[in-house]
Amino acid sequence: MAAEAKHFKYVILGGGVAAGYAAREFGKQGVKPGELAIISKEPVAPYERPALSKGYLFPQNAARLPGFHTCVGSGGERLLPEWYSEKGIELILSTEIVKADLASKTLTSAAGETFTYEILLIATGSSVIKLTDFGVQGAESNNILYLRDITDADKLVAAMQAKKNGKAVVVGGGYIGLELSAALKINNFDVTMVYPEPWCMPRLFTSGIAHFYEGYYANKGINIVKGTVAVGFDADANGDVTAVKLKDGRVLEADIVIVGVGGRPLTALFKGQVAEEKGGLKTDAFFETSVPGVYAIGDVATFPLKLYNEQRRVEHVDHARKSAEQAVRAIKAKESGESVAEYDYLPYFYSRSFDLAWQFYGDNAGDDVLFGDNDPASVKPKFGSYWVKDGKVVGVFLEGGSAEENQAIARVAKSQPAVADVEVLKTEGLEFAAKV
């Protein structure tokens, strides 16, 4: 006889950033013991994922759990496993859900356990795209690593210790590529970055912005190979990777390979059961999907981005945090017959590596206007870019800004001031933002 299903009023499926922030909001709004469960395939309570590509890899005083459990990444309370038990929130860890039946409100785990719910929050996030997915020759060799969760980070740390001062090849020029190349360099690896695009972070950076980072990284001794991809790997008798074969015929020696070529939202469990758009689960401004009582938050949600009047999916920690809070507030308001304001999100991205820190707000659409000093050799580089569309400033990027300056560029992106002459932006630079 099958074991009886465990029933909860609320279930959060996924144990990442969004789950942690949703749990905190349930705690604030009031949740009775036994009403809420978090079901996560990870073995630990929710934590701040960005730490994995930054502090976790420091050669000294590296970040470790329980130091970066949510919600410490935004200056909030750190929710240790004890916090969940004190609140009567059940953490069901190391549990992979393999079937979700939204009609019967039932989730089934790989071990055959069943869970039923009244309200479901889908916070499954993304999975990394692997080179083995494309059948790249030799891609299953040891020490070809990815970074998505703490298990991946531990594997990377172990490989870095085993191959001390060795050669590392980073495949991909996006977020992960840039942050991990810096981390490996700080750990005294000989680092080569490989990516097919004409410059790094092409989804956000213009050539003028990328010019700075590529130059800065080169000055730090990082070798950059653009316009080609990894097509195969060589390994030794132990199955450890020894070399990366590139499409242009070059071969790079490697003791460690880290691949950061993007992610895919984890939506497969819900195929055919819920409306989808732009690769995600389509939601309203309260993160409710087409199925009443089923919400989607973080990476998996395609939601109405009010500022630009379009449906969009955003993969970033800031949106994971805020969408989680919005959904829980909406759920609790609905129960008491009240309402909350629609989600009105200003896209925000940031990164830190070496001594650098940039922030971006808004939309990188239209014409870009570079300002400031983007010379990679500068002692105190400080520069940015405005994006102008239909005569309005819609996005701003800034490297090396102070807290006040970063707040100023956020205000510009939110208010979208009209600008008659783009040359003004070039000459005024940050002064333009300060006046808004």
Side-chain angles (χ1 to χ4, degrees), residues 206-209 365-370 385-388 422 425-426:
T206 61
S207 62
I209 293 172
D367 301 317
D368 59 282
V369 182
L370 195 68
S385 182
Y386 291 105
W387 278 264
V388 181
V422 292
L425 295 175
K426 204 171 280 178

Side-chain angles (χ1 to χ4, degrees), residues 202-269:
R203 277 164 59 181
L204 174 60
F205 290 1
T206 61
S207 62
I209 293 172
H211 162 81
F212 169 80
Y213 295 99
E214 289 179 349
Y216 188 98
Y217 274 49
N219 292 344
K220 289 278 185 192
I222 293 172
N223 179 28
I224 296 175
V225 179
K226 300 190 273 192
T228 189
V229 291
V231 291
F233 299 92
D234 291 335
D236 64 16
N238 301 323
D240 290 356
V241 71
T242 57
V244 182
K245 295 185 272 195
L246 303 183
K247 195 174 185 174
D248 66 9
R250 274 186 276 190
V251 178
L252 305 170
E253 283 179 58
D255 300 301
I256 296 183
V257 176
I258 300 176
V259 182
V261 292
R264 285 194 193 97
L266 286 164
T267 58
L269 285 173

